[in-house]
Amino acid sequence: MTYSQMSAEERKAEYARLQKEFDDLKAKGLNLNMARGKPSKQQLDLANGIFDLMRDPADYVTDGIDVRTYGELTGIPSAKRLFAEVLGCRPEQVFVGGNSSLQLMYDTISKAYTHGLLHSPRPWCKEETVKWLCPVPGYDRHFKVTETFGFELVSIPMTDEGPDMDAVEEAVKDPAVKGIWCVPKFSNPEGIIFSDRVIHRMAALKPAAPDFLIMWDNAYCIHEFEGDFIPFPDMLALCAENGNPDMVFEFFSTSKITLPGAGIACFACSEANIAYMKKLIDIQTIGFDKVNQQRQVLFLQNKAHMLEMMRQRATIMGPKFRCVVETLDREVAPTGIADWRRPKGGYFVSLNAMPGTAKRTLALCKEAGVTMTSAGATFPYGKDPQDSNIRIAPSLPPVEELEQAIAVLCVCLKLAALEKLGL
Ligand SMILES: Cc1ncc(COP(=O)(O)O)c(C=O)c1O
């Protein structure tokens, strides 16, 4: 019987039973964290081989370039070839940077703000208003980047196949709308893969702003934890075919393949955009860490080898995601108070609690020693109008701890829902 079908008496009895369960869980003094998409120790250990590399002096030279000294601002050729192979674009379209794709994203927006992009009539700081499209629920750090530059964040609903393209096509008629965030494969937090139809409509947009920018964050493009690798189209080629060669910047990093914070990141875009950005970045730095670029390339080798590595990681990640979804199916589904997605890759499970209960649920979780991403984080300005979406990040805790953390979450979801329904 679902909670809304229960009589007031039945709900009261259920609440008392759950309260006891909650007190017992609290008494365990748990300290568990499902807040951010951090790989577990077991997963990090899979990259330990990287520390044995670069011992032979021959490893310091690649394509005739000594990686130990200045030069090659846009990255070493072997790293460009590797990322181009993964993303399906050409090496000339790849700029390999430092340890974080988020930093490259921030820098791209920052340069648009201070200097403008290739087709900007003026730097964005000179615009009266800059509006930015944010598919929701989405990645909190994306939203904060555009918020920090004072852009007006416009929510675009996500559908099962990506952002609502009717809403996007309507919004881009406004010349103040300068761009959109996209995580096209295994979106954060819903794990949605944009459909071909959505991708084609996105590439064919005819925005009023001449410098409209698609921030195509392909962070999880080889991050399947269930099933076979799903090939994905090259957005750069699609935009070019649609007469928009300079409209997209794609981002990728090895953070969730080798070591977060100690991997390498890139952006990929038209050669005209590469030339434009190169000129600006040349003033900012003499070059990124090519020693690490070389180390990562030696470790990762090629796309086939990377996919093999990801299959290994999937044996660690898969059981964790199954634990989350199966526990929710068993414990929460019969109550009818929430629904959740069943991702096959990426780093998150997105759950929609009964409207008006996400904050209360997470406050209860905290009280019982389980830290989750704060409620609202998946929406612009940290405000979920429904107070419903909860992002679960199961990658960090070992399965035994995860089982406890999800048990806590299930009890808290139910307590919050019963309180909302009235006791
Ligand atoms: C969608 C998305 N993009 C980017 C990042 C951060 O990547 P990086 O470590 O390359 O900065 C994350 C991290 O969780 C993410 O979820």
Side-chain angles (χ1 to χ4, degrees), residues 73 95 107 111 115 275-288:
L73 178 66
F95 188 114
D107 198 42
K111 284 183 169 44
H115 292 75
Y276 180 79
M277 294 306 275
K278 189 179 165 191
K279 256 206 239 163
L280 290 177
I281 297 172
D282 196 24
I283 297 161
Q284 194 175 5
T285 175
I286 310 177
F288 293 91

Side-chain angles (χ1 to χ4, degrees), residues 100-102 105 139 142 183 188 217 219-220 253 255-256 348:
S100 157
S101 61
L102 190 72
M105 291 179 234
Y139 180 33
H142 281 167
V183 183
N188 177 349
D217 180 3
Y220 299 116
S253 78
S255 289
K256 308 282 171 65
F348 306 99

Side-chain angles (χ1 to χ4, degrees), residues 113-128:
Y113 191 79
T114 52
H115 292 75
L117 296 174
L118 190 58
H119 301 296
S120 296
R122 62 196 77 82
W124 292 0
C125 64
K126 298 268 166 67
E127 301 284 354
E128 209 157 282

